[in-house]
Amino acid sequence: MKTITQRELAARSTAVLDDVEAGETYHVTRNGTEIAELRPLGTRRRFVPVDELWRKWRAAPAVDAARRRAEADGFFGGGERDGGDRG
């Protein structure tokens, strides 16, 4: 973590943001008091590899369809399932 003044941030914003993008965290001060933290956003993946999806799917608990249906009916009040008027 680095500390930088508001004035330094304004003067070197491009370089500071490049550092943040590379993983650095800055605390910004004004008149000697820390007022903000500038840090990278959490890393977000744009895709999940297929092998990871398969591992997670295989490790997921089994779903009991009849139990799930009973829970849904209990929550939503049962109702007709033949495509009747829902609205």
Side-chain angles (χ1 to χ4, degrees):
M1 181 204 63
K2 296 180 180 179
T3 300
I4 189 170
T5 66
Q6 176 186 2
R7 186 170 300 198
E8 288 174 304
L9 176 59
R12 300 183 332 123
S13 64
T14 299
V16 170
L17 290 177
D18 288 344
D19 287 350
V20 169
E21 189 174 32
E24 186 67 55
T25 298
Y26 282 85
H27 281 194
V28 182
T29 63
R30 180 190 293 157
N31 300 324
T33 302
E34 289 185 352
I35 59 167
E37 181 178 75
L38 189 57
R39 61 181 172 81
L41 293 174
T43 57
R44 290 186 273 175
R45 296 189 293 180
R46 295 192 181 270
F47 70 95
V48 178
V50 172
D51 60 328
E52 183 177 339
L53 288 174
W54 277 111
R55 281 194 311 273
K56 290 182 181 286
W57 179 75
R58 286 184 186 122
V63 175
D64 181 343
R67 181 175 171 202
R68 180 68 51 115
R69 177 81 257 166
E71 289 175 359
D73 287 346
F75 182 77
F76 294 108
E80 296 184 28
R81 288 185 225 132
D82 62 355
D85 185 19
R86 289 186 170 32

